[in-house]
Amino acid sequence: MPSLRYRPLSDASELSDFYCNVDVMDSFIHDGLEDELREKNCEAFVVLDDDDSIIGFFAICEDDLELSPEDKDEMMSGISIAKTPRFSTMQDKTQFAIQNMFAAKEIAYLAIRKDMQRKGIGTAILNLIRNMTAHDAPDHFFLTVDALCINGYSAVGFYSKFGFQCVNWDTYSCRMFCTIIPDSDDIDG
């Protein structure tokens, strides 16, 4: 795997030659990404290889995650795929027990250039996102994603490998979440 660097996406036109081989995503990248990033107020980044070629991109934005008392009980008991968050204080743990809506960071977009897929880059980017979020948003316990599932393509398995749990399905995606910093240090992937 090449060494990876990332930097903010300055303009969606930087991705004019970028294709991930998922038709619906490629169409969106070239025809709707810029407007969508502006509307969602996302932070978008490009991932570069040793030659400064763009081999991936991702965008992160604010989100909310609603968890039922049953969801939280399953997390606390270890039944859930999603792990219990690491709490800094007893007050955080108490607050977790009584509230149902949580500030989260959403992985709005994550794509790898088609010739660079299956080389560990998606895993590296997901770990980067988790580390960035843990550092930049310590008051957020969760990452969310609407994992694309359309026309024979599904990102659900990829995210499941990293402890993302499905909370609901719609026509084209699965709403998933994971804990940013789990109580145990074992982050799978």
Side-chain angles (χ1 to χ4, degrees):
M1 182 171 78
S3 61
L4 304 179
R5 294 176 292 109
Y6 72 98
R7 65 166 171 75
L9 175 71
S10 55
D11 184 288
S13 65
E14 286 187 88
L15 299 172
S16 62
D17 294 328
F18 182 92
Y19 291 89
C20 66
N21 210 30
V22 177
D23 292 341
V24 68
M25 186 72 157
D26 286 334
S27 293
F28 174 74
I29 290 167
H30 297 111
D31 298 330
L33 178 64
E34 191 159 13
D35 290 338
E36 185 76 8
L37 290 174
R38 194 173 26 258
E39 285 176 28
K40 281 190 160 188
N41 195 25
C42 292
E43 295 179 90
F45 300 88
V46 291
V47 180
L48 309 165
D49 65 8
D50 297 327
D51 300 323
D52 284 338
S53 297
I54 296 174
I55 59 172
F57 91 97
F58 63 96
I60 301 171
C61 55
E62 289 294 325
D63 197 12
D64 292 314
L65 175 66
E66 185 173 2
L67 294 176
S68 70
E70 293 80 17
D71 292 332
K72 293 186 294 181
D73 287 346
E74 287 178 4
M75 288 175 69
M76 299 299 274
S77 68
I79 296 171
S80 172
I81 294 170
K83 298 183 184 319
T84 304
R86 180 179 297 157
F87 302 109
S88 318
T89 67
M90 195 57 159
Q91 182 179 4
D92 286 345
K93 188 172 187 173
T94 302
Q95 190 65 30
F96 179 79
I98 60 174
Q99 76 184 58
N100 291 331
M101 190 66 74
F102 299 92
K105 288 290 188 171
E106 177 186 16
I107 302 170
Y109 309 101
L110 190 159
I112 310 302
R113 197 175 70 202
K114 63 183 175 186
D115 63 317
M116 298 303 291
Q117 294 173 3
R118 303 210 175 271
K119 296 183 179 183
I121 293 167
T123 298
I125 291 173
L126 198 52
N127 287 329
L128 169 71
I129 291 170
R130 191 178 294 225
N131 291 335
M132 283 175 61
T133 305
H135 181 265
D136 297 341
D139 58 332
H140 291 61
F141 290 136
F142 302 104
L143 280 174
T144 62
V145 66
D146 290 321
L148 189 62
C149 188
I150 188 169
N151 297 334
Y153 171 82
S154 176
V156 173
F158 172 75
Y159 288 106
S160 293
K161 280 189 341 185
F162 295 94
F164 280 79
Q165 178 172 327
C166 184
V167 286
N168 71 325
W169 284 87
D170 71 21
T171 308
Y172 303 110
S173 65
C174 176
R175 173 87 166 152
M176 303 180 82
F177 78 97
C178 79
T179 307
I180 295 172
I181 303 176
D183 191 33
S184 60
D185 287 341
D186 59 338
I187 298 174
D188 300 327

